[in-house]
Amino acid sequence: MARGVTDLQSKKPHIVVLASPGMGHVTPLFEFAKRLVLLHGCHVTFLNITTEASVAQTQLLHSPNLPPGLSVVDFPPVDLSDMVDDDASPLTRLSINVQQNLLSLKSILLEFHKPQAVVIDLFCTQAFEICKELSIPVFMFFTASTYLLAFTLLLPQLDRDVAGEFVDLPAPVQVPGCSPVRTQDLIDLVGNRKSDNYKWFLHHLSRVPMADGVFLNTWEDLEPVPVRAIREHAFYKKILTAPVYPIGPVIKESEPVTETGAECLTWLDEQPEHSVLFIALGSGGTLSAEQLTELAWGLELSGQRFIWVVRAPNDASATATFFNVGGDKNDPRTYLAERFIERTRGRGLVVPSWAPQLSVLRHRSTAAFLSHCGWNSVLESLSHGVPIIAWPLYAEQRMNATTMAEEVGVAVKIVAEETAGKRVVGREEVERAVRMTVEGEKGKEMRRKARELKQSAAKALRNDGSSNGYESLARVVSQWKVNGKI
Ligand code: UDP
């Protein structure tokens, strides 16, 4: 294992950041690590779980231009074949992967002469005991919405009180101090309480209160109600005694751009201002063959310009590329009708697997984002003032989509029809949502609101002495310095 930190004796706090595999966690924690180094004078070692890491993750963490003071240390690969069945659920697989890697955490931390703090995500909670033994404080960086945090902190109680499945409850789940969650919007990890997925989820979130502090990837203008609830509501004050720090939006500021990515940006350069719909379903999102065809038709019927990040269809799973994103060299011509590509040539661009999302969202030609509403995608879109067509697929994306559409007013939700037990979004619905968002009045209103949030996001991160994300993080770093006698 390479040891990258060369100057651990310097008068800077040394912080270890540990993320579970998957771009949705690695990206914000890595960005957080960079901020600690560049803005707050810390040394950071980012621990990289290489087992089952995607190509995109490896590219991000092994990019050549890391700022001095930030090191990436790879865990050696672990053989999971005897420990996890091939058909294990994603969270089971991920949790066992993390567990096996963390067997060496104690020796790593000792080798580092005990850092001032360890920052983890929700699925690395095995680190709590190890750090406690070494008297190292552990902070949690919650990568999803604060609304989801509020719901998850309630889950242990729901688990005790509710007899059947949560999805069968006759009424929405009342979340203290926040809007109720409709059962159809519940995070899919709680959809089957007998599943290993659920048990792992409950295990990890029951341990959030063990953290010495929780960083929230949000800002108050985006989620005023959940942030207030977590801070002030008696229910949360009782179970989460550690302070919470809204420090968001923590999103990537740059990204590796491949040759295909560069071509996509050149194409955007040639399009009129605010004219292009960007379609990307996160690092894991895939559609069924039927859904892919309907989306293609809807895009064509809408007559709007688009960039579409496409992946080979998968009828069995909506998260088919979660662990190998960026690695599947797919050829859209094998699954998209040749005529579709021909007919939309010049007006639409099809990009296989992966596009430089951040660069596309900040481009002047981009008008709207058809997104699965992963939290990072939501933050990236709003930080650039781009309204959303919400097409949630898995995890907590339905909750995010509902909040963005019904409370924040920056999204329109796509409506799926149920036929013969299958939920499919028809071409007319795609056409309606795209037209409405790119050229309609509703789209203008959503864009206005998204731009307001863009301004307030920038304000939350400004180093101007006001009470905001920058100041919150600065206060924690000062505390680390005091505790470490630095
Ligand atoms: N992403 C990207 N290009 C793509 C698809 C996704 O750069 O073609 C990035 C996106 O910018 C975001 C992350 O992948 O940072 C997806 O995270 P999110 O939380 O939105 O969804 P998840 O992948 O966890 O479902």
Side-chain angles (χ1 to χ4, degrees):
M1 185 185 300
R3 286 281 177 270
V5 176
T6 52
D7 191 14
L8 295 179
Q9 311 306 326
S10 75
K11 294 285 176 206
K12 287 181 170 186
H14 178 210
I15 309 303
V16 165
V17 177
L18 168 66
S20 54
M23 291 305 276
H25 286 198
V26 168
T27 304
L29 268 94
F30 192 53
E31 193 55 41
F32 171 74
K34 284 197 216 157
R35 284 194 194 171
L36 286 178
V37 169
L38 294 171
L39 305 177
H40 298 279
C42 298
H43 269 303
V44 177
T45 304
F46 193 97
L47 297 181
N48 177 26
I49 296 181
T50 55
T51 309
E52 307 201 327
S54 63
V55 173
Q57 175 175 328
T58 308
Q59 271 171 359
L60 176 73
L61 296 181
H62 288 188
S63 48
N65 301 322
L66 295 189
L70 174 59
S71 313
V72 175
V73 169
D74 289 346
F75 281 102
V78 169
D79 181 8
L80 297 177
S81 53
D82 287 346
M83 275 167 262
V84 213
D85 296 338
D86 285 347
D87 58 356
S89 66
L91 186 54
T92 305
R93 198 168 182 86
L94 182 115
S95 301
I96 293 174
N97 184 2
V98 171
Q99 197 168 40
Q100 292 306 310
N101 276 279
L102 294 200
L103 294 177
S104 55
L105 182 65
K106 184 174 172 185
S107 60
I108 293 173
L109 296 175
L110 285 173
E111 210 176 309
F112 286 154
H113 307 291
K114 297 211 269 178
Q116 269 70 50
V118 173
V119 181
I120 60 171
D121 68 49
L122 181 62
F123 299 137
C124 291
T125 61
Q126 293 97 334
F128 279 126
E129 282 80 8
I130 300 162
C131 293
K132 191 160 190 263
E133 200 187 323
L134 300 176
S135 305
I136 302 171
V138 182
F139 287 69
M140 177 162 291
F141 184 110
F142 197 76
T143 52
S145 71
T146 302
Y147 184 29
L148 183 72
L149 176 64
F151 172 76
T152 55
L153 289 172
L154 173 70
L155 200 60
Q157 181 182 309
L158 288 178
D159 191 66
R160 286 190 296 273
D161 295 350
V162 174
E165 291 293 349
F166 304 127
V167 284
D168 296 331
L169 284 169
V173 177
Q174 298 298 325
V175 182
C178 302
S179 309
V181 185
R182 290 196 288 255
T183 51
Q184 64 269 30
D185 287 346
L186 286 170
I187 175 166
D188 53 15
L189 287 168
V190 307
N192 173 1
R193 292 173 69 186
K194 294 189 191 71
S195 67
D196 286 349
N197 240 350
Y198 174 76
K199 288 173 194 155
W200 274 111
F201 188 51
L202 187 64
H203 167 81
H204 289 301
L205 62 89
S206 305
R207 293 153 66 82
V208 174
M210 292 167 79
D212 290 275
V214 180
F215 295 116
L216 306 175
N217 197 1
T218 197
W219 69 105
E220 295 198 32
D221 286 347
L222 179 64
E223 290 194 278
V225 175
V227 170
R228 196 173 326 114
I230 292 280
R231 274 189 175 144
E232 295 172 13
H233 196 286
F235 176 81
Y236 298 109
K237 281 175 93 169
K238 200 162 149 215
I239 50 177
L240 186 64
T241 48
V244 294
Y245 306 98
I247 57 162
V250 180
I251 56 166
K252 57 188 175 184
E253 286 184 349
S254 59
E255 62 199 343
V257 180
T258 59
E259 205 177 307
T260 330
E263 280 165 25
C264 159
L265 297 175
T266 308
W267 184 85
L268 258 185
D269 287 343
E270 290 155 9
Q271 309 309 314
E273 200 169 35
H274 300 138
S275 66
V276 177
L277 173 71
F278 176 55
I279 302 146
L281 301 171
S283 41
T286 43
L287 300 174
S288 67
E290 185 182 358
Q291 187 59 84
L292 204 71
T293 305
E294 290 303 304
L295 176 52
W297 268 111
L299 288 173
E300 192 177 337
L301 291 170
S302 78
Q304 304 300 318
R305 291 166 211 269
F306 62 86
I307 292 180
W308 183 8
V309 180
V310 284
R311 300 191 177 129
N314 190 304
D315 289 354
S317 166
T319 60
T321 65
F322 206 82
F323 289 117
N324 73 346
V325 67
D328 54 334
K329 293 271 169 280
N330 75 55
D331 178 2
R333 283 171 196 276
T334 59
Y335 52 83
L336 279 180
E338 181 75 24
R339 279 166 308 160
F340 166 76
I341 299 178
E342 290 309 323
R343 284 195 303 258
T344 55
R345 188 177 299 288
R347 185 163 61 72
L349 187 69
V350 168
V351 184
S353 282
W354 194 256
Q357 178 164 308
L358 184 81
S359 315
V360 172
L361 289 172
R362 63 158 66 122
H363 198 284
R364 59 165 182 77
S365 303
T366 302
F369 182 16
L370 190 156
S371 167
H372 72 323
C373 287
W375 192 240
N376 293 296
S377 293
V378 168
L379 295 179
E380 288 166 17
S381 202
L382 298 183
S383 298
H384 295 93
V386 176
I388 298 170
I389 299 176
W391 188 308
L393 293 176
Y394 52 90
E396 87 294 7
Q397 294 151 13
R398 288 181 297 273
M399 244 170 113
N400 296 342
T402 298
T403 310
M404 292 307 131
E406 294 173 15
E407 291 184 25
V408 187
V410 288
V412 57
K413 269 207 292 187
I414 206 98
V415 181
E417 278 164 33
E418 183 134 10
T419 25
K422 278 191 294 181
R423 289 180 71 76
V424 175
V425 179
R427 58 192 72 179
E428 296 80 15
E429 168 65 1
V430 174
E431 180 190 1
R432 178 195 72 87
V434 174
R435 280 187 192 279
M436 176 203 273
T437 311
V438 176
E439 59 178 13
E441 282 310 306
K442 170 91 177 153
K444 280 192 194 130
E445 180 52 28
M446 294 195 299
R447 194 163 305 115
R448 190 192 58 71
K449 182 70 199 164
R451 285 195 187 141
E452 265 174 41
L453 282 165
K454 174 183 174 178
Q455 306 296 333
S456 83
K459 189 158 170 272
L461 298 180
R462 221 173 281 147
N463 171 13
D464 64 358
S466 58
S467 171
N468 56 33
Y470 177 91
E471 290 300 322
S472 287
L473 190 50
R475 275 200 300 278
V476 183
V477 174
S478 316
Q479 202 52 50
W480 286 338
K481 289 183 182 167
V482 171
N483 294 350
K485 303 192 177 47
I486 291 167

